[in-house]
Amino acid sequence: MPTIKLAPSILTADFGRLAEEVRAAEAGGADLLHLDVMDGRFVPSITFGHTLVAALRKETSLPFDIHLMVVEPERQVPFFIEFADTVNVHIEVSPHINRTLSEIRRLGARCGVCINPGTPLEAIEESLAEVDQVMVMTINPGWGGQRMIPAQLEKVRRIRSMLEAVNPRADLMVDGGVKASNAGQCVAAGANILVCGSSVFAPGTAVAANLSALRRAAG
Ligand code: DX5
Ligand code: ZN
């Protein structure tokens, strides 16, 4: 089993003190920083673009995991690539997914494919051999702080077993509603990277303590 990584999402962080929040996550033992880019089209809300990511790049040495929740993600890839460890694109808006994935790699980052709860797993089957990671959405994307849809863990299980056959080194992430009470189930289902937003950044709580609780729960 690969090492379990925690990837805090800044979506529910205090944007007025964002650099401080990010440094607290780094000091608290985060492995990656998950950055949720939303365009108001693929999902209803708009978050931020590459200029904010560029500013954060100066504040931390954590690898950046960019989650593009945008239509025509291939048009955004060049804006984010220089800051990214991994760029993740959604299958639902990528008619030529394998071309987009190989373009991300050609430009110098790791590539990931994301799949929404309502999208059948078969949609990404032909891409599993081409990716560095798969991101299973355990909520309908658009907002932080939603409850996990537990049925999606069955999809995680099936993808892990398919990856074992075609791409055993690929990472498998879960994104949405991860907290200490379900982190163990996510890992048991085969996930090795846990995105955690509101379970890390929540008003009145300490980022480092939240990360430690998640780490213990993830095992
Ligand atoms: C939602 C995002 C997630 C999410 C994480 O569309 O992709 O990264 O906000 O936040 P929590 O952990 O609060 O669901
Ligand atoms: Zn995300």
Side-chain angles (χ1 to χ4, degrees), residues 37 49-54 66 68 72-84 87 107:
V37 178
H50 67 282
T51 51
L52 181 121
V53 176
I66 312 278
L68 292 179
E72 300 181 296
E74 63 284 354
R75 294 181 57 185
Q76 287 301 314
V77 167
F79 290 104
F80 288 91
I81 204 92
E82 66 178 295
F83 315 113
V87 179
L107 292 171

Side-chain angles (χ1 to χ4, degrees), residues 167-188:
N167 189 357
R169 296 178 54 169
D171 290 310
L172 181 50
M173 313 176 75
V174 284
D175 184 5
V178 175
K179 39 191 182 180
S181 58
N182 58 28
Q185 288 167 263
C186 297
V187 172

Side-chain angles (χ1 to χ4, degrees), residues 75-154:
R75 294 181 57 185
Q76 287 301 314
V77 167
F79 290 104
F80 288 91
I81 204 92
E82 66 178 295
F83 315 113
D85 179 67
T86 308
V87 179
N88 303 280
V89 294
H90 270 264
I91 184 65
E92 295 82 8
V93 278
S94 299
H96 298 292
I97 184 68
N98 288 9
R99 184 159 72 201
T100 305
L101 294 168
S102 61
E103 182 63 4
I104 293 169
R105 274 195 182 153
R106 190 186 71 75
L107 292 171
R110 299 171 75 250
C111 62
V113 65
C114 316
I115 182 164
N116 275 344
T119 305
L121 157 49
E122 289 65 32
I124 60 167
E125 198 174 342
E126 305 299 330
S127 304
L128 294 180
E130 315 292 326
V131 295
D132 296 299
Q133 66 184 35
V134 178
M135 188 190 302
V136 175
M137 297 308 300
T138 41
I139 53 164
N140 288 297
W143 289 274
Q146 303 183 66
R147 284 171 71 91
M148 178 179 286
I149 305 167
Q152 290 304 308
L153 293 182
E154 181 51 30

